[in-house]
Amino acid sequence: MIILLLLFLPLLFLGMIGGAFRSLGFSGWEILFLIIASVIGSFINIPVTQIAGGRNREYQFRDRFGRIAAMHDGPDTAVAVNVGGVLIPLFVTLYLVYYILSSPVFFPQPLAVIMGGGAGILLVAGITHAVAKVVPGLGITTPIFIPPLCALLCGILFSFGDPLAAPPIAFASGTMGTLIGADLLNWRHLGKIGAPLVSIGGAGTFDGIFLSGILAAFLA
């Protein structure tokens, strides 16, 4: 029974992801591409800057499998942007803005929907920032269910009863709100982490951003 449950859960999760992206207006092939791109992108970090002297030699760099990687041996902390945790959600959010503006049949009041999404992003960012913690040697962590639940409420409240507007507002609130609240608003604290690599939108934050957007859009 336990084995069947373990085999069933990944399929259930993939079905939930597909349902969430479908509620955002994506086709089957687009959903498959986004899922694959998000998973592969979670392993890709693009360096953007360095924190001089921020490295603490007590902390080693571990990849997403927990393996110690022989890299980033210098005295500085490298700051990178995660493809799956930042670029993919940003791309989807920008696409939703374009889709809302160009689809007057489905969204007769596009500016109201976009303003609702903006309000949701600000609210989720504030709440996420309040509960986020800077963990030395690891990064920035957030409680897994608080951002998606807040994004879900934003999708319901700021859609003002429009069922088509709720999923994109919830997705944008969950992804961008978590990214801003957890990572960007804690930018000044990145030097306290001491890790050889700090990934914006990566590691545990990727899970928070990805799950926040997917769960919120699916439930909405």
Side-chain angles (χ1 to χ4, degrees):
M1 186 66 179
I2 296 177
I3 295 177
L4 291 176
L5 183 62
L6 292 176
L7 293 175
F8 178 72
L9 284 177
L11 296 177
L12 178 63
F13 184 63
L14 287 175
M16 183 177 66
I17 295 174
F21 279 127
R22 187 169 296 278
S23 71
L24 296 173
F26 291 98
S27 65
W29 286 108
E30 290 171 338
I31 292 171
L32 180 61
F33 170 78
L34 287 173
I35 292 175
I36 295 175
S38 297
V39 173
I40 295 178
S42 70
F43 297 95
I44 302 175
N45 294 301
I46 302 176
V48 292
T49 186
Q50 287 187 338
I51 300 175
R55 169 77 184 277
N56 186 331
R57 291 290 180 178
E58 296 181 3
Y59 304 126
Q60 296 173 310
F61 176 79
R62 295 178 181 270
D63 60 21
R64 289 183 61 83
F65 296 105
R67 299 175 302 191
I68 298 176
M71 61 184 299
H72 305 295
D73 290 328
D76 303 330
T77 293
V79 180
V81 171
N82 186 264
V83 174
V86 175
L87 299 186
I88 299 297
L90 180 60
F91 164 77
V92 174
T93 301
L94 292 177
Y95 171 81
L96 291 176
V97 172
Y98 167 78
Y99 182 71
I100 291 169
L101 290 175
S102 61
S103 304
V105 175
F106 299 106
F107 301 98
Q109 296 180 316
L111 293 181
V113 179
I114 293 175
M115 289 178 64
I121 290 173
L122 293 177
L123 183 59
V124 174
I127 295 175
T128 302
H129 181 65
V131 300
K133 294 183 179 180
V134 178
V135 181
L138 178 62
I140 300 169
T141 62
T142 58
I144 190 169
F145 289 114
I146 290 181
L149 289 178
C150 292
L152 170 62
L153 292 177
C154 289
I156 295 173
L157 293 175
F158 297 132
S159 64
F160 299 104
D162 184 353
L164 292 178
I169 290 176
F171 180 85
S173 301
T175 54
M176 295 295 99
T178 304
L179 172 64
I180 294 172
D183 282 338
L184 299 186
L185 291 182
N186 282 304
W187 184 275
R188 65 186 184 280
H189 299 304
L190 296 182
K192 300 178 182 179
I193 296 175
L197 173 66
V198 175
S199 176
I200 303 299
T205 313
F206 164 77
D207 304 325
I209 294 172
F210 188 73
L211 289 176
S212 294
I214 293 301
L215 285 176
F218 179 78
L219 293 174

